[in-house]
Amino acid sequence: QVQLVESGGGSVQAGGSLRLSCLASGYTVGHNCVAWFRQCPGKEREGVAAIYTGIGMTYYTDSVKGRFTISRDISKYTVYLQMNVLKPEDTAMYYCAAYLNSICPGNWDSASSGAWAQGTQVTVSS
């Protein structure tokens, strides 16, 4: 089983930037998709971005297109989420997840069977 550790959350003013990192260790070959999710209190978890780790193909939900970039550094077993032009509505707990699926991200619920990081808080003030 792969273990995931996140870093990089914090507080920033609207228009600012943050970069989240998701470091994988352990059995790192058992997944082909890494996705970032976010969740606000009282709201459902939302899939934000995903990357097919083998070929680097990426996917973004509409609300972050053009502002967020997901990437991976295979040599460092790390997936990044660069978040630019942050908005107050981006405030949430962010999680990365690694899972195996025929399509990345496919159905976001497919990540439920994968490995999850502990979460990191992102707060954007207006």
Side-chain angles (χ1 to χ4, degrees):
Q1 179 77 348
V2 64
Q3 290 85 44
L4 303 177
V5 177
E6 291 183 33
S7 60
S11 297
V12 66
Q13 288 191 327
S17 299
L18 285 172
R19 188 177 79 160
L20 306 182
S21 299
C22 179
L23 172 65
S25 62
Y27 187 66
T28 59
V29 297
H31 64 275
N32 61 352
C33 187
V34 175
W36 288 94
F37 293 80
R38 63 188 181 188
Q39 189 167 21
C40 299
K43 293 189 176 181
E44 290 189 358
R45 185 178 67 197
E46 175 189 24
V48 174
I51 187 164
Y52 208 138
T53 53
I55 59 176
M57 187 179 298
T58 59
Y59 173 87
Y60 301 92
T61 195
D62 287 345
S63 61
V64 306
K65 283 181 181 177
R67 301 189 298 122
F68 289 13
T69 301
I70 188 171
S71 62
R72 88 262 194 250
D73 187 331
I74 296 175
S75 66
K76 295 182 179 179
Y77 300 101
T78 301
V79 170
Y80 304 98
L81 184 68
Q82 177 67 45
M83 304 184 294
N84 298 327
V85 195
L86 282 160
K87 304 175 180 180
E89 51 264 42
D90 294 318
T91 295
M93 185 71 79
Y94 283 72
Y95 302 88
C96 66
Y99 57 104
L100 185 66
N101 205 39
S102 57
I103 302 173
C104 182
N107 187 317
W108 289 114
D109 289 340
S110 300
S112 297
S113 61
W116 288 76
Q118 78 283 7
T120 186
Q121 178 67 37
V122 171
T123 302
V124 184
S125 58
S126 58

